[in-house]
Amino acid sequence: MSLSGIVFRFNTVSSFDDTTIVADIPFTGSEPQMTVTKRSSIESVIKKYKLSSEIIGKFKALIDEYKICEWTGKPVSPLEIAAGDSTTVICSLTLRSDDGTCADITFRETDKETGNNALKAFRKLFFDSQKDENLISKEEFYPTIKDCREMKETHGPVVAIETHSFSMGMMYGSNQTTIRTIEKVPEKEGIVLVTVRKQAGDKPEVSESKECASDVLEKIREISDKENLPCWHYVRRDPSKPDNRPVVMDYSSNYSISLFYDDSLITGHPKTKRTLGDNISYLGGDEVIDSLRKLVTGCVEAAGISLEMPQMTLFDQSRGMPLIADAAPDFPEMFSGMNQASKAMGWTCKGCGKTGLTSKFCPECGHPEE
């Protein structure tokens, strides 16, 4: 039995974003090629490189130098847990044999110094192999929700969810932001901390937090497992296809949902963040987004939080420049018709139930007017 090739994985994990690189490196064939697949929320790219016998020989030499084939089946040392928002880099190696069998290596099957030295050597050789003169092809691809449902990744339990809604109109100071966060309270089984933060224009942010008993994170975990939500983080709209999102010239808004996973035992990162952007709803994920939104809304209501958005006045919106008294119009009379029309045209959000809305999207949860 001899090695027919390796698969090298390079994963950068942080509380902000993930980047995954998978390199398939064959040792056999008349014209071997290295296929490098890179995925992140920003781009997904496949590159193919020519593999010379010299490069293949160097990979084999590293495997022999560190006796990596002897590491298979040995106990693996625990991961180091990342602190705060620090970035964690996880690498692994898969040895492929000509009889079709595979063996996974984490570089933690040996002492720490040997494992780190071997890992550094493989990383350097891997990136040195990606020379422009060896590049055969480069193809950017746009994973759909269907593609992402079929991707393979392992994650721990959901420990938090956060929704972020932002809207802005033509008038100065009309921007509104609502952030709702639900997170597991450490060492308190079944208890979550619910926080709502709101800001309008230049007004100071207002917030309210309460603990409550809830199984909302378990329900979200069920949806996440069923739909493979961590990989929806990679969904991208193909710019060559029609954009079906509504175009509003005098109003803009965006809405996103971020899920946080405790991957301490998998990557060493206790709060891996995966974000589902506002394009997900228009790419076939509207039912899932609505389900998550309703679970968050229900938990906020159960916690008894009913924080109102700070109200902007005409003085705020004119940047504090009062009009001359004699020339000032009768504001109540000027706006009475507008206010009555606004109330008559108000709609009720189907996402969170907020009433009397006059904007194109709900400032509370981001749900569009229907």
Side-chain angles (χ1 to χ4, degrees):
M1 180 181 68
S2 61
L3 292 179
S4 61
I6 61 174
V7 177
F8 184 72
R9 295 177 179 84
F10 185 92
N11 191 14
T12 304
V13 185
S14 71
S15 58
F16 174 73
D17 196 10
D18 286 12
T19 299
T20 301
I21 299 175
V22 180
D24 190 332
I25 307 171
F27 290 169
T28 59
S30 57
E31 296 181 354
Q33 299 177 1
M34 176 172 67
T35 302
V36 180
T37 303
K38 178 181 178 181
R39 291 200 310 262
S40 73
S41 62
I42 300 174
E43 66 172 356
S44 294
V45 179
I46 298 178
K47 295 181 179 180
K48 292 184 181 294
Y49 295 88
K50 290 184 292 184
L51 272 177
S52 66
S53 57
E54 179 184 2
I55 294 175
I56 293 174
K58 288 182 178 180
F59 277 113
K60 289 182 175 180
L62 285 180
I63 293 172
D64 292 338
E65 177 183 352
Y66 290 98
K67 299 180 173 58
I68 287 180
C69 290
E70 298 178 8
W71 296 4
T72 59
K74 288 189 175 182
V76 177
S77 61
L79 284 160
E80 293 183 4
I81 305 302
D85 294 333
S86 60
T87 298
T88 303
V89 177
I90 303 296
C91 296
S92 63
L93 193 67
T94 297
L95 306 177
R96 296 191 312 200
S97 301
D98 54 8
D99 63 355
T101 60
C102 296
D104 293 326
I105 300 297
T106 66
F107 294 95
R108 302 195 314 278
E109 292 84 355
T110 183
D111 63 273
K112 186 174 181 179
E113 182 179 359
T114 302
N116 286 341
N117 288 339
L119 178 54
K120 289 177 182 178
F122 269 95
R123 282 171 56 178
K124 185 178 186 307
L125 178 55
F126 166 64
F127 286 108
D128 286 348
S129 302
Q130 299 179 63
K131 295 180 179 179
D132 290 341
E133 59 264 30
N134 294 331
L135 181 64
I136 299 172
S137 64
K138 175 182 177 180
E139 178 186 0
E140 189 167 7
F141 64 102
Y142 304 90
T144 65
I145 289 178
K146 180 181 178 181
D147 295 332
C148 293
R149 280 192 174 113
E150 297 172 354
M151 291 181 184
K152 302 294 184 183
E153 284 190 0
T154 303
H155 291 273
V158 176
V159 292
I161 184 171
E162 181 175 278
T163 68
H164 187 284
S165 175
F166 174 79
S167 61
M168 182 174 66
M170 293 290 288
M171 184 176 291
Y172 172 81
S174 63
N175 53 298
Q176 296 185 350
T177 302
T178 299
I179 301 173
R180 303 182 296 174
T181 306
I182 301 171
E183 53 190 327
K184 184 180 185 299
V185 178
E187 300 179 0
K188 288 187 178 181
E189 193 64 33
I191 302 298
V192 296
L193 176 65
V194 183
T195 302
V196 178
R197 297 154 51 197
K198 296 188 177 184
Q199 186 172 24
D202 292 336
K203 289 286 188 180
E205 179 184 272
V206 296
S207 65
E208 185 176 356
S209 297
K210 290 184 180 180
E211 290 187 1
C212 72
S214 175
D215 62 350
V216 64
L217 294 180
E218 286 300 317
K219 292 180 178 178
I220 291 171
R221 172 67 187 268
E222 291 175 5
I223 296 175
S224 177
D225 290 347
K226 178 183 176 183
E227 302 290 345
N228 200 26
L229 288 187
C231 292
W232 286 31
H233 175 80
Y234 302 122
V235 172
R236 296 179 63 213
R237 189 186 67 82
D238 187 341
S240 67
K241 296 182 178 179
D243 188 349
N244 296 322
R245 290 175 294 181
V247 177
V248 182
M249 303 304 294
D250 60 347
Y251 184 85
S252 64
S253 71
N254 60 62
Y255 181 83
S256 64
I257 298 178
S258 295
L259 301 173
F260 297 84
Y261 298 84
D262 183 0
D263 291 344
S264 299
L265 302 178
I266 302 165
T267 64
H269 210 287
K271 214 170 182 182
T272 300
K273 181 180 181 179
R274 291 301 173 90
T275 298
L276 314 181
D278 58 357
N279 63 332
I280 295 289
S281 292
Y282 301 104
L283 295 174
D286 52 332
E287 290 186 8
V288 171
I289 295 298
D290 282 346
S291 297
L292 295 174
R293 181 189 285 118
K294 288 176 181 177
L295 285 171
V296 171
T297 299
C299 188
V300 170
E301 292 175 350
I305 296 179
S306 56
L307 191 66
E308 293 296 326
M309 181 71 71
Q311 294 299 307
M312 297 294 293
T313 65
L314 186 65
F315 186 83
D316 294 323
Q317 294 168 350
S318 63
R319 290 191 65 84
M321 299 178 63
L323 300 172
I324 299 173
D326 292 341
D330 186 343
F331 286 126
E333 180 179 347
M334 177 180 175
F335 289 108
S336 61
M338 293 174 63
N339 289 335
Q340 290 174 5
S342 296
K343 291 179 181 178
M345 295 191 309
W347 56 279
T348 300
C349 176
K350 292 185 178 180
C352 66
K354 190 174 181 63
T355 59
L357 301 176
T358 57
S359 57
K360 301 289 192 304
F361 294 81
C362 175
E364 184 73 20
C365 72
H367 200 282
E369 180 183 9
E370 296 180 359

